């Protein structure tokens, strides 16, 4: 499971008020290098919960060799005051990002896989297994 996928998952256990972001418990990870697709990264950024991504990177980094790159505290987007600029696409506001930051974002979003481990609900502590890179978010009957 890529960290991109992790960024969109949440716990829907009955009674959960704060099921996002899920914590990561690593058993096995895999890191693969792929060519940086700057345009794709820039298009994905508006959809990403950046603080949740940074937390996931911190949880997985100790298990990576070499360690995952540090991400900046905040991504500084160029504010667009005109509606025309907004219509050009959300990725335009991130065009000022340094190439190394974009490469680091690409690495953590697309090149790191949780192969085996657990996703843990921050509210209830419920553990969802990840096996062969596939998270199993199916709830038990009493959790619906």
């Amino acid at each position: 499971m890529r960290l991109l996928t992790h960024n969109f998952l949440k716990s829907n256990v009955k009674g959960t008020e704060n099921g996002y972001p899920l914590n990561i418990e690593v058993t096995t990870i895999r890191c693969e290098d792929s060519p940086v697709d700057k345009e794709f990264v820039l298009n994905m950024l508006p959809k990403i919960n950046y603080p949740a991504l940074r937390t996931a990177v911190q949880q997985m980094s100790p298990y990576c060799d070499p360690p995952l790159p540090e991400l900046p505290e905040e991504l500084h987007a160029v504010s667009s005051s005109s509606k025309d600029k907004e219509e050009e696409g959300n990725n335009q506001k991130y065009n000022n990002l340094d190439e190394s930051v974009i490469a680091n974002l690409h690495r953590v979003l697309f090149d790191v896989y949780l192969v085996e481990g657990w996703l843990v609900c921050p509210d209830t502590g419920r553990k969802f297994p990840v096996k062969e890179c596939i998270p199993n978010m199916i709830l038990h009957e009493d959790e619906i």
Side-chain angles (χ1 to χ4, degrees):
M1 175 194 71
R2 291 180 173 145
L3 290 183
L4 175 65
T5 304
H6 169 266
N7 202 264
F8 293 98
L9 296 176
K10 71 178 236 173
S11 173
N12 287 315
V13 173
K14 180 173 54 178
T16 301
E17 293 182 21
N18 183 24
Y20 182 86
L22 297 167
N23 293 313
I24 301 172
E25 291 183 5
V26 176
T27 302
T28 309
I29 65 165
R30 180 177 74 227
C31 298
E32 298 177 350
D33 288 331
S34 64
V36 175
D37 186 341
K38 178 180 178 178
E39 186 176 335
F40 189 56
V41 171
L42 293 176
N43 280 322
M44 290 304 300
L45 283 179
K47 299 167 181 70
I48 298 294
N49 180 316
Y50 188 70
L53 177 63
R54 287 192 77 240
T55 300
V57 168
Q58 292 167 353
Q59 291 173 348
M60 289 188 68
S61 191
Y63 301 93
C64 292
D65 187 25
L68 294 177
E70 294 232 4
L71 298 177
E73 292 272 337
E74 295 179 9
L75 293 179
H76 298 288
V78 174
S79 59
S80 59
S81 56
S82 81
K83 196 164 189 155
D84 293 335
K85 284 186 180 179
E86 190 176 315
E87 290 174 4
E88 288 176 15
N90 286 330
N91 65 330
Q92 296 299 316
K93 64 183 176 182
Y94 291 106
N95 275 339
N96 66 327
L97 289 177
D98 186 77
E99 294 292 325
S100 65
V101 172
I102 293 170
N104 289 343
L105 286 165
H106 175 90
R107 178 155 188 248
V108 300
L109 287 169
F110 304 112
D111 293 350
V112 179
Y113 298 84
L114 178 62
V115 178
E116 305 285 333
W118 302 92
L119 300 177
V120 183
C121 175
D123 197 23
T124 64
R126 163 69 149 85
K127 290 184 171 187
F128 298 95
V130 177
K131 295 186 190 256
E132 298 179 18
C133 297
I134 301 171
N136 180 349
M137 302 297 292
I138 296 174
L139 300 176
H140 299 129
E141 194 172 308
D142 62 334
E143 298 174 319
I144 298 174

